[in-house]
Amino acid sequence: MSVRSNELNRNPLKAVDPELFSTITAERKRQQDNLIMIASENLVSRAVLEAQGSVLTNKYAEGYAGARYYGGCVNVDRAENLACQRAREIFEAEHVNVQPHSGTSANMAVFLAVLKPGDPILGMDLSHGGHLTHGSKVNISGRYYSSFSYKVEPGSCLLSLEEVRKTALKVRPKLLIAGASSYPRLVDYEGFAAIAREVGAIFLVDMAHTAGLTAGGVHPNPVLYADIVTATTHKTFRGPRGGMIFSRQQYAEAIDKAVFPGLQGGPLMHVIAAKAVAFKEAQLPGYAAYQEKVLANAAALAEALSSLGFTIVTGGTDTHLVLVDLRNKNISGMDAEKMLENVGIIVNKNVIPYDPKGANAPSGIRLGSPTLTSRGMMPSQMQEIAVLIEETLAGQSKSGHLDAIRRRVDNICLEYPAY
Ligand SMILES: *Cc1c(COP(=O)(O)O)cnc(C)c1O
Protein backbone atom coordinates (compact mmCIF):
# COMPACT_ATOMS: atom_id res chain seq x y z
CA MET A 1 0.00 0.00 0.00
CA SER A 2 1.21 3.48 -0.77
CA VAL A 3 1.80 6.02 1.96
CA ARG A 4 -1.15 7.97 0.67
CA SER A 5 -3.68 5.11 0.78
CA ASN A 6 -2.42 4.21 4.26
CA GLU A 7 -3.16 7.76 5.41
CA LEU A 8 -6.54 7.59 3.67
CA ASN A 9 -7.46 4.55 5.72
CA ARG A 10 -6.17 5.86 9.00
CA ASN A 11 -7.30 9.43 8.80
CA PRO A 12 -9.56 9.91 5.78
CA LEU A 13 -10.71 13.45 6.48
CA LYS A 14 -7.19 14.73 7.06
CA ALA A 15 -6.00 13.07 3.86
CA VAL A 16 -8.87 14.26 1.66
CA ASP A 17 -9.50 17.71 3.08
CA PRO A 18 -6.81 19.07 5.38
CA GLU A 19 -8.51 22.48 5.54
CA LEU A 20 -11.75 21.07 6.89
CA PHE A 21 -9.88 18.65 9.12
CA SER A 22 -8.05 21.51 10.78
CA THR A 23 -11.30 23.49 11.05
CA ILE A 24 -12.96 20.66 12.98
CA THR A 25 -9.85 20.17 15.10
CA ALA A 26 -9.95 23.87 15.94
CA GLU A 27 -13.63 23.65 16.87
CA ARG A 28 -13.00 20.65 19.12
CA LYS A 29 -10.30 22.69 20.84
CA ARG A 30 -12.60 25.71 21.14
CA GLN A 31 -15.24 23.58 22.85
CA GLN A 32 -12.60 22.22 25.23
CA ASP A 33 -10.87 25.53 25.97
CA ASN A 34 -13.93 27.68 26.69
CA LEU A 35 -16.68 27.74 29.29
CA ILE A 36 -19.68 27.38 27.01
CA MET A 37 -22.76 28.83 28.65
CA ILE A 38 -25.07 29.12 25.64
CA ALA A 39 -28.36 27.89 27.12
CA SER A 40 -29.41 26.11 23.93
CA GLU A 41 -26.18 24.13 23.49
CA ASN A 42 -24.89 20.89 24.96
CA LEU A 43 -22.30 18.16 24.38
CA VAL A 44 -23.45 14.88 22.89
CA SER A 45 -21.89 11.56 23.86
CA ARG A 46 -19.36 9.74 21.72
CA ALA A 47 -22.02 7.12 21.05
CA VAL A 48 -24.31 9.78 19.57
CA LEU A 49 -21.41 11.13 17.49
CA GLU A 50 -20.65 7.64 16.19
CA ALA A 51 -24.26 6.99 15.15
CA GLN A 52 -24.53 10.37 13.47
CA GLY A 53 -21.27 9.81 11.60
CA SER A 54 -22.41 6.42 10.32
CA VAL A 55 -23.23 4.92 6.92
CA LEU A 56 -26.92 5.55 7.59
CA THR A 57 -26.32 8.90 5.91
CA ASN A 58 -26.22 6.96 2.62
CA LYS A 59 -29.81 5.76 2.80
CA TYR A 60 -32.92 7.24 1.20
CA ALA A 61 -36.02 6.39 3.20
CA GLU A 62 -38.86 8.74 2.23
CA GLY A 63 -41.98 7.61 4.04
CA TYR A 64 -42.24 5.85 7.39
CA ALA A 65 -41.07 2.48 8.72
CA GLY A 66 -42.91 -0.29 6.87
CA ALA A 67 -44.21 2.16 4.25
CA ARG A 68 -41.21 3.59 2.42
CA TYR A 69 -40.80 4.80 -1.13
CA TYR A 70 -37.45 2.98 -1.46
CA GLY A 71 -36.25 -0.60 -1.18
CA GLY A 72 -33.54 -1.66 1.22
CA CYS A 73 -34.99 0.05 4.28
CA VAL A 74 -34.86 -2.90 6.68
CA ASN A 75 -32.13 -1.44 8.88
CA VAL A 76 -33.24 2.17 8.85
CA ASP A 77 -36.78 0.99 9.65
CA ARG A 78 -35.36 -0.66 12.71
CA ALA A 79 -33.47 2.48 13.71
CA GLU A 80 -36.54 4.70 13.32
CA ASN A 81 -38.78 2.22 15.16
CA LEU A 82 -36.32 2.13 18.06
CA ALA A 83 -36.24 5.92 18.16
CA CYS A 84 -40.05 6.21 18.13
CA GLN A 85 -40.61 3.48 20.69
CA ARG A 86 -38.10 4.96 23.14
CA ALA A 87 -39.36 8.53 22.64
CA ARG A 88 -42.97 7.48 23.27
CA GLU A 89 -41.92 5.66 26.44
CA ILE A 90 -39.86 8.55 27.82
CA PHE A 91 -42.55 11.18 27.26
CA GLU A 92 -45.61 8.92 27.74
CA ALA A 93 -46.83 9.95 24.29
CA GLU A 94 -49.48 8.39 22.10
CA HIS A 95 -47.60 9.30 18.93
CA VAL A 96 -44.22 10.68 17.91
CA ASN A 97 -42.63 11.76 14.65
CA VAL A 98 -38.82 11.85 14.86
CA GLN A 99 -38.14 13.04 11.30
CA PRO A 100 -38.16 16.86 11.63
CA HIS A 101 -34.71 18.19 10.74
CA SER A 102 -34.90 20.84 13.48
CA GLY A 103 -37.14 22.47 16.06
CA THR A 104 -38.21 25.00 13.45
CA SER A 105 -39.15 22.28 10.95
CA ALA A 106 -41.15 20.57 13.70
CA ASN A 107 -43.14 23.74 14.37
CA MET A 108 -43.72 24.36 10.65
CA ALA A 109 -45.03 20.81 10.28
CA VAL A 110 -47.51 21.36 13.11
CA PHE A 111 -48.76 24.56 11.49
CA LEU A 112 -49.10 22.81 8.14
CA ALA A 113 -50.97 19.95 9.82
CA VAL A 114 -53.57 21.93 11.75
CA LEU A 115 -53.81 25.46 10.27
CA LYS A 116 -54.82 27.13 7.05
CA PRO A 117 -53.02 30.29 5.86
CA GLY A 118 -54.49 33.29 7.66
CA ASP A 119 -55.63 31.35 10.74
CA PRO A 120 -55.02 33.16 14.03
CA ILE A 121 -52.20 31.86 16.26
CA LEU A 122 -51.22 33.09 19.72
CA GLY A 123 -47.75 32.66 21.21
CA MET A 124 -45.36 34.36 23.59
CA ASP A 125 -43.90 37.67 22.43
CA LEU A 126 -40.44 37.15 20.90
CA SER A 127 -38.95 40.02 22.88
CA HIS A 128 -40.33 38.50 26.10
CA GLY A 129 -38.69 35.13 25.58
CA GLY A 130 -40.78 33.52 22.83
CA HIS A 131 -39.39 32.04 19.62
CA LEU A 132 -39.26 33.36 16.05
CA THR A 133 -41.41 30.44 14.90
CA HIS A 134 -44.28 31.39 17.22
CA GLY A 135 -45.55 34.15 14.96
CA SER A 136 -42.72 36.65 14.47
CA LYS A 137 -43.30 38.90 11.46
CA VAL A 138 -39.90 38.00 9.99
CA ASN A 139 -40.71 34.28 10.13
CA ILE A 140 -43.08 32.29 7.93
CA SER A 141 -45.23 31.76 11.05
CA GLY A 142 -45.99 35.48 11.18
CA ARG A 143 -46.32 35.91 7.42
CA TYR A 144 -48.62 33.04 6.51
CA TYR A 145 -50.71 33.06 9.68
CA SER A 146 -52.40 35.84 11.55
CA SER A 147 -50.15 36.04 14.60
CA PHE A 148 -50.77 37.54 18.03
CA SER A 149 -48.68 37.46 21.19
CA TYR A 150 -48.98 37.55 24.94
CA LYS A 151 -46.44 39.26 27.18
CA VAL A 152 -45.00 38.74 30.64
CA GLU A 153 -46.02 41.03 33.51
CA PRO A 154 -44.11 44.30 33.75
CA GLY A 155 -42.04 44.27 36.94
CA SER A 156 -42.04 40.61 37.87
CA CYS A 157 -41.44 39.49 34.27
CA LEU A 158 -43.55 36.43 35.05
CA LEU A 159 -46.19 34.97 32.79
CA SER A 160 -49.71 35.64 34.00
CA LEU A 161 -52.31 33.12 32.93
CA GLU A 162 -54.96 35.82 33.39
CA GLU A 163 -53.18 37.93 30.73
CA VAL A 164 -52.87 34.92 28.43
CA ARG A 165 -56.57 34.14 28.90
CA LYS A 166 -57.65 37.74 28.22
CA THR A 167 -55.62 37.84 25.02
CA ALA A 168 -56.89 34.41 23.98
CA LEU A 169 -60.51 35.44 24.50
CA LYS A 170 -59.91 38.48 22.30
CA VAL A 171 -57.91 36.75 19.58
CA ARG A 172 -59.73 33.37 19.52
CA PRO A 173 -56.63 31.58 18.21
CA LYS A 174 -56.89 28.36 16.27
CA LEU A 175 -53.56 27.41 17.86
CA LEU A 176 -52.38 28.48 21.32
CA ILE A 177 -48.62 28.10 21.81
CA ALA A 178 -46.74 27.82 25.10
CA GLY A 179 -42.99 27.43 25.43
CA ALA A 180 -40.07 29.81 25.02
CA SER A 181 -36.39 30.34 24.40
CA SER A 182 -35.47 32.64 27.24
CA TYR A 183 -38.12 32.29 29.93
CA PRO A 184 -36.43 30.94 33.07
CA ARG A 185 -39.52 29.82 34.97
CA LEU A 186 -41.95 26.91 34.98
CA VAL A 187 -44.91 27.28 32.65
CA ASP A 188 -48.31 26.16 33.94
CA TYR A 189 -49.15 23.74 31.12
CA GLU A 190 -52.36 22.63 32.78
CA GLY A 191 -53.56 26.23 33.11
CA PHE A 192 -52.71 26.89 29.45
CA ALA A 193 -54.61 23.74 28.45
CA ALA A 194 -57.71 25.01 30.25
CA ILE A 195 -57.51 28.32 28.36
CA ALA A 196 -57.10 26.48 25.04
CA ARG A 197 -60.21 24.42 25.83
CA GLU A 198 -62.16 27.50 26.81
CA VAL A 199 -61.40 29.33 23.55
CA GLY A 200 -61.56 26.25 21.34
CA ALA A 201 -57.87 26.33 20.37
CA ILE A 202 -55.53 23.45 19.67
CA PHE A 203 -52.83 23.58 22.35
CA LEU A 204 -49.19 23.31 21.27
CA VAL A 205 -46.29 23.25 23.72
CA ASP A 206 -42.86 23.92 22.22
CA MET A 207 -40.49 22.32 24.75
CA ALA A 208 -37.40 22.90 22.57
CA HIS A 209 -35.39 24.10 25.56
CA THR A 210 -36.75 21.92 28.33
CA ALA A 211 -37.22 18.46 26.75
CA GLY A 212 -34.21 17.08 28.61
CA LEU A 213 -35.44 18.38 31.95
CA THR A 214 -38.79 16.70 31.34
CA ALA A 215 -37.15 13.46 30.20
CA GLY A 216 -35.05 13.50 33.37
CA GLY A 217 -38.17 13.91 35.50
CA VAL A 218 -37.17 17.29 36.96
CA HIS A 219 -39.67 19.37 34.97
CA PRO A 220 -43.40 18.80 34.26
CA ASN A 221 -44.29 16.79 31.17
CA PRO A 222 -46.32 18.92 28.73
CA VAL A 223 -47.23 15.84 26.69
CA LEU A 224 -49.77 15.06 29.41
CA TYR A 225 -51.57 18.38 28.89
CA ALA A 226 -51.08 19.51 25.29
CA ASP A 227 -52.60 18.27 22.05
CA ILE A 228 -49.23 18.55 20.33
CA VAL A 229 -45.70 19.02 21.69
CA THR A 230 -42.66 19.93 19.63
CA ALA A 231 -39.08 19.64 20.83
CA THR A 232 -35.48 19.79 19.79
CA THR A 233 -33.22 16.89 20.57
CA HIS A 234 -30.02 18.96 20.93
CA LYS A 235 -30.64 21.44 23.76
CA THR A 236 -31.11 20.17 27.33
CA PHE A 237 -32.01 16.78 25.86
CA ARG A 238 -28.35 16.24 24.91
CA GLY A 239 -28.88 14.41 21.61
CA PRO A 240 -28.03 15.20 17.98
CA ARG A 241 -29.27 18.42 16.35
CA GLY A 242 -32.87 17.81 15.29
CA GLY A 243 -36.57 18.03 16.05
CA MET A 244 -39.48 15.80 17.03
CA ILE A 245 -43.24 16.08 17.41
CA PHE A 246 -45.42 14.35 20.00
CA SER A 247 -49.18 14.30 19.65
CA ARG A 248 -52.40 12.73 20.63
CA GLN A 249 -53.46 9.95 18.25
CA GLN A 250 -56.11 12.24 16.82
CA TYR A 251 -53.43 14.44 15.17
CA ALA A 252 -50.97 11.66 14.31
CA GLU A 253 -51.89 11.17 10.68
CA ALA A 254 -52.09 14.87 9.87
CA ILE A 255 -48.69 15.49 11.46
CA ASP A 256 -46.99 12.58 9.72
CA LYS A 257 -48.35 13.79 6.39
CA ALA A 258 -47.26 17.35 7.11
CA VAL A 259 -43.66 16.26 7.84
CA PHE A 260 -43.57 14.00 4.78
CA PRO A 261 -44.60 14.67 2.05
CA GLY A 262 -45.79 18.09 3.22
CA LEU A 263 -42.51 19.68 4.24
CA GLN A 264 -39.54 17.37 3.93
CA GLY A 265 -38.16 14.73 1.56
CA GLY A 266 -35.81 12.01 2.72
CA PRO A 267 -35.35 11.79 6.49
CA LEU A 268 -31.82 12.13 7.90
CA MET A 269 -31.52 8.49 8.93
CA HIS A 270 -28.08 8.94 10.52
CA VAL A 271 -29.53 11.68 12.71
CA ILE A 272 -32.60 9.60 13.53
CA ALA A 273 -30.26 6.77 14.57
CA ALA A 274 -28.36 9.24 16.75
CA LYS A 275 -31.69 10.37 18.23
CA ALA A 276 -32.42 6.72 19.08
CA VAL A 277 -29.08 6.53 20.91
CA ALA A 278 -29.84 9.74 22.83
CA PHE A 279 -33.25 8.32 23.81
CA LYS A 280 -31.52 5.18 25.07
CA GLU A 281 -29.15 7.35 27.12
CA ALA A 282 -32.13 9.26 28.53
CA GLN A 283 -33.47 5.95 29.84
CA LEU A 284 -30.24 5.11 31.66
CA PRO A 285 -30.06 5.75 35.42
CA GLY A 286 -27.48 8.56 35.23
CA TYR A 287 -29.70 10.79 33.11
CA ALA A 288 -32.06 11.96 35.85
CA ALA A 289 -29.07 12.78 38.03
CA TYR A 290 -27.54 14.76 35.14
CA GLN A 291 -30.72 16.83 34.72
CA GLU A 292 -30.91 17.43 38.48
CA LYS A 293 -27.38 18.81 38.31
CA VAL A 294 -28.34 21.01 35.35
CA LEU A 295 -31.02 22.61 37.54
CA ALA A 296 -28.80 22.83 40.64
CA ASN A 297 -26.04 24.48 38.61
CA ALA A 298 -28.37 27.05 37.03
CA ALA A 299 -29.81 27.86 40.46
CA ALA A 300 -26.31 28.22 41.95
CA LEU A 301 -25.26 30.47 39.08
CA ALA A 302 -28.32 32.72 39.50
CA GLU A 303 -27.78 32.97 43.23
CA ALA A 304 -24.07 33.71 42.94
CA LEU A 305 -24.60 36.38 40.27
CA SER A 306 -27.37 37.92 42.29
CA SER A 307 -25.16 38.16 45.36
CA LEU A 308 -22.55 39.90 43.20
CA GLY A 309 -25.06 42.63 42.35
CA PHE A 310 -26.46 41.34 39.07
CA THR A 311 -30.18 41.68 38.37
CA ILE A 312 -31.64 38.28 37.53
CA VAL A 313 -34.81 38.53 35.44
CA THR A 314 -37.70 37.03 37.49
CA GLY A 315 -35.32 36.90 40.46
CA GLY A 316 -34.02 33.41 39.73
CA THR A 317 -34.62 30.30 37.68
CA ASP A 318 -36.59 27.04 37.69
CA THR A 319 -34.77 25.78 34.61
CA HIS A 320 -31.35 25.43 33.01
CA LEU A 321 -31.16 29.10 32.03
CA VAL A 322 -30.49 32.42 33.71
CA LEU A 323 -31.43 35.74 32.14
CA VAL A 324 -29.37 38.66 33.41
CA ASP A 325 -30.48 42.30 33.13
CA LEU A 326 -27.27 44.33 32.80
CA ARG A 327 -28.77 47.81 32.97
CA ASN A 328 -27.49 48.51 36.50
CA LYS A 329 -23.99 47.50 35.36
CA ASN A 330 -23.95 50.10 32.59
CA ILE A 331 -22.90 47.64 29.95
CA SER A 332 -24.83 46.42 26.92
CA GLY A 333 -25.54 42.77 26.23
CA MET A 334 -23.40 43.01 23.11
CA ASP A 335 -20.37 44.41 24.95
CA ALA A 336 -20.77 41.89 27.76
CA GLU A 337 -20.87 39.03 25.24
CA LYS A 338 -17.66 40.30 23.63
CA MET A 339 -15.79 40.94 26.88
CA LEU A 340 -16.69 37.51 28.21
CA GLU A 341 -15.70 35.81 24.97
CA ASN A 342 -12.26 37.44 25.32
CA VAL A 343 -11.69 35.55 28.57
CA GLY A 344 -13.19 32.29 27.28
CA ILE A 345 -16.71 32.54 28.71
CA ILE A 346 -19.22 32.08 25.90
CA VAL A 347 -22.73 33.54 26.38
CA ASN A 348 -25.26 35.29 24.18
CA LYS A 349 -26.66 38.78 24.32
CA ASN A 350 -30.41 38.63 24.86
CA VAL A 351 -33.35 40.98 25.03
CA ILE A 352 -35.00 41.33 28.40
CA PRO A 353 -38.77 41.86 28.69
CA TYR A 354 -39.71 45.50 27.99
CA ASP A 355 -36.10 46.13 26.91
CA PRO A 356 -35.72 49.90 26.63
CA LYS A 357 -33.01 49.50 23.97
CA GLY A 358 -35.00 47.13 21.76
CA ALA A 359 -33.91 43.86 20.20
CA ASN A 360 -31.03 45.42 18.23
CA ALA A 361 -29.13 46.52 21.32
CA PRO A 362 -30.34 44.11 23.97
CA SER A 363 -29.79 44.90 27.64
CA GLY A 364 -29.20 41.36 28.83
CA ILE A 365 -27.30 38.15 28.50
CA ARG A 366 -28.61 34.61 28.66
CA LEU A 367 -26.59 31.93 30.45
CA GLY A 368 -27.19 28.20 30.63
CA SER A 369 -25.81 25.28 32.58
CA PRO A 370 -26.28 22.21 30.31
CA THR A 371 -22.86 22.15 28.59
CA LEU A 372 -20.83 22.80 31.74
CA THR A 373 -22.88 20.18 33.57
CA SER A 374 -22.12 17.67 30.80
CA ARG A 375 -18.45 18.31 31.59
CA GLY A 376 -19.08 17.36 35.22
CA MET A 377 -19.07 20.80 36.80
CA MET A 378 -20.96 21.40 40.04
CA PRO A 379 -22.40 24.40 41.96
CA SER A 380 -18.97 25.31 43.37
CA GLN A 381 -17.67 25.83 39.82
CA MET A 382 -20.76 27.94 39.03
CA GLN A 383 -19.90 30.19 41.98
CA GLU A 384 -16.32 30.50 40.75
CA ILE A 385 -17.52 31.30 37.21
CA ALA A 386 -19.97 33.92 38.53
CA VAL A 387 -17.02 35.67 40.16
CA LEU A 388 -15.06 35.51 36.90
CA ILE A 389 -18.03 37.01 35.04
CA GLU A 390 -18.30 39.81 37.59
CA GLU A 391 -14.59 40.58 37.50
CA THR A 392 -14.54 40.59 33.70
CA LEU A 393 -17.52 42.91 33.34
CA ALA A 394 -16.30 45.20 36.12
CA GLY A 395 -13.74 46.04 33.43
CA GLN A 396 -10.74 46.82 35.62
CA SER A 397 -8.28 47.99 33.04
CA LYS A 398 -5.25 47.02 35.10
CA SER A 399 -2.85 45.32 32.72
CA GLY A 400 -2.82 41.60 33.15
CA HIS A 401 -6.26 41.58 34.80
CA LEU A 402 -8.02 39.89 31.88
CA ASP A 403 -5.07 37.56 31.30
CA ALA A 404 -5.36 36.39 34.87
CA ILE A 405 -9.07 35.68 34.41
CA ARG A 406 -8.36 33.81 31.17
CA ARG A 407 -5.85 31.61 33.07
CA ARG A 408 -8.46 30.77 35.71
CA VAL A 409 -10.89 29.84 32.91
CA ASP A 410 -8.14 27.65 31.41
CA ASN A 411 -7.67 25.85 34.71
CA ILE A 412 -11.37 25.02 35.04
CA CYS A 413 -11.49 23.83 31.42
CA LEU A 414 -8.48 21.58 31.97
CA GLU A 415 -9.98 20.06 35.06
CA TYR A 416 -13.30 19.22 33.31
CA PRO A 417 -12.61 17.83 29.82
CA ALA A 418 -15.38 18.14 27.23
CA TYR A 419 -14.51 14.70 25.80
C1 LIG B 1 -34.42 26.52 19.73
C2 LIG B 1 -35.88 26.67 19.60
C3 LIG B 1 -36.56 26.28 18.43
C4 LIG B 1 -35.87 25.98 17.12
O1 LIG B 1 -34.98 25.00 17.06
P1 LIG B 1 -33.99 24.89 15.80
O2 LIG B 1 -33.56 23.47 15.89
O3 LIG B 1 -32.92 25.90 16.03
O4 LIG B 1 -34.77 25.16 14.56
C5 LIG B 1 -37.93 26.33 18.42
N1 LIG B 1 -38.61 26.75 19.49
C6 LIG B 1 -38.01 27.17 20.62
C7 LIG B 1 -38.83 27.63 21.76
C8 LIG B 1 -36.61 27.15 20.70
O5 LIG B 1 -36.01 27.61 21.80
Side-chain angles (χ1 to χ4, degrees):
M1 245 202 276
S2 71
V3 172
R4 180 160 161 75
S5 65
N6 245 335
E7 179 63 9
L8 255 177
N9 279 331
R10 236 189 4 252
N11 209 334
L13 183 58
K14 192 175 176 188
V16 169
D17 190 343
E19 267 175 301
L20 201 85
F21 177 82
S22 70
T23 303
I24 293 176
T25 304
E27 174 59 14
R28 187 178 296 118
K29 183 167 161 41
R30 188 194 69 83
Q31 292 183 18
Q32 165 61 33
D33 293 350
N34 290 278
L35 294 170
I36 295 181
M37 304 183 79
I38 307 280
S40 49
E41 294 183 4
N42 210 329
L43 298 177
V44 302
S45 70
R46 288 170 187 276
V48 165
L49 283 179
E50 185 180 344
Q52 186 159 355
S54 73
V55 295
L56 269 65
T57 194
N58 296 332
K59 189 69 196 102
Y60 243 113
E62 282 178 340
Y64 292 97
R68 305 279 191 187
Y69 289 80
Y70 290 82
C73 285
V74 52
N75 299 313
V76 291
D77 275 6
R78 187 151 172 246
E80 186 162 348
N81 282 334
L82 279 171
C84 290
Q85 192 186 317
R86 291 169 183 168
R88 281 193 308 266
E89 267 172 38
I90 293 166
F91 291 95
E92 302 172 60
E94 292 176 18
H95 180 71
V96 69
N97 186 308
V98 296
Q99 292 192 3
H101 301 331
S102 69
T104 295
S105 310
N107 285 342
M108 294 310 107
V110 172
F111 294 175
L112 187 62
V114 303
L115 300 173
K116 287 192 195 57
D119 276 348
I121 62 174
L122 175 60
M124 189 167 179
D125 192 299
L126 176 64
S127 65
H128 286 210
H131 192 259
L132 275 172
T133 55
H134 298 181
S136 161
K137 296 298 173 197
V138 298
N139 182 260
I140 187 171
S141 58
R143 293 176 59 182
Y144 284 27
Y145 306 100
S146 175
S147 69
F148 300 89
S149 60
Y150 52 83
K151 299 179 188 310
V152 296
E153 296 280 278
S156 73
C157 294
L158 295 172
L159 267 176
S160 141
L161 275 190
E162 205 32 56
E163 150 82 8
V164 174
R165 179 170 174 270
K166 257 194 253 162
T167 314
L169 283 167
K170 213 161 46 199
V171 168
R172 293 276 163 186
K174 180 91 189 285
L175 187 71
L176 174 63
I177 310 169
S181 298
S182 56
Y183 185 67
R185 293 298 185 173
L186 291 178
V187 173
D188 179 357
Y189 300 127
E190 200 174 0
F192 261 93
I195 294 167
R197 265 197 309 277
E198 183 182 354
V199 303
I202 296 169
F203 179 34
L204 167 67
V205 173
D206 178 350
M207 61 166 177
H209 261 267
T210 49
L213 302 175
T214 293
V218 300
H219 192 86
N221 182 3
V223 174
L224 305 178
Y225 305 103
D227 298 301
I228 306 170
V229 176
T230 52
T232 67
T233 44
H234 51 274
K235 296 183 182 176
T236 53
F237 194 78
R238 213 186 163 183
R241 188 161 297 279
M244 56 184 166
I245 307 171
F246 300 93
S247 72
R248 300 197 194 285
Q249 203 54 49
Q250 161 189 10
Y251 299 103
E253 195 185 335
I255 282 172
D256 286 351
K257 280 187 174 155
V259 173
F260 175 85
L263 205 60
Q264 296 185 172
L268 310 176
M269 290 316 307
H270 55 309
V271 176
I272 289 171
K275 287 173 181 172
V277 175
F279 295 141
K280 171 104 186 178
E281 290 174 343
Q283 292 178 310
L284 297 176
Y287 192 79
Y290 164 70
Q291 297 295 351
E292 272 167 30
K293 279 183 222 148
V294 167
L295 286 192
N297 280 341
L301 186 66
E303 210 176 291
L305 286 169
S306 178
S307 72
L308 292 165
F310 285 94
T311 308
I312 309 300
V313 175
T314 78
T317 180
D318 302 324
T319 67
H320 61 299
L321 74 86
V322 179
L323 191 57
V324 182
D325 175 349
L326 292 168
R327 284 176 299 168
N328 67 332
K329 297 281 183 183
N330 288 318
I331 179 170
S332 71
M334 171 108 71
D335 288 344
E337 179 187 305
K338 280 196 197 128
M339 288 173 80
L340 290 169
E341 180 154 10
N342 281 337
V343 297
I345 299 174
I346 311 300
V347 308
N348 65 274
K349 59 182 178 295
N350 210 98
V351 284
I352 55 170
Y354 304 100
D355 203 317
K357 297 270 175 56
N360 291 328
S363 300
I365 50 174
R366 188 185 67 164
L367 309 170
S369 60
T371 304
L372 300 186
T373 309
S374 291
R375 293 176 74 162
M377 293 181 205
M378 302 292 275
S380 57
Q381 281 74 49
M382 298 305 120
Q383 286 151 8
E384 194 179 346
I385 292 165
V387 170
L388 295 176
I389 291 172
E390 199 275 331
E391 289 181 5
T392 303
L393 298 185
Q396 297 165 33
S397 50
K398 260 189 299 176
S399 72
H401 172 68
L402 292 180
D403 290 344
I405 294 176
R406 176 74 236 199
R407 279 194 299 275
R408 283 151 75 193
V409 168
D410 288 343
N411 286 338
I412 302 173
C413 289
L414 270 175
E415 200 177 331
Y416 296 91
Y419 284 97

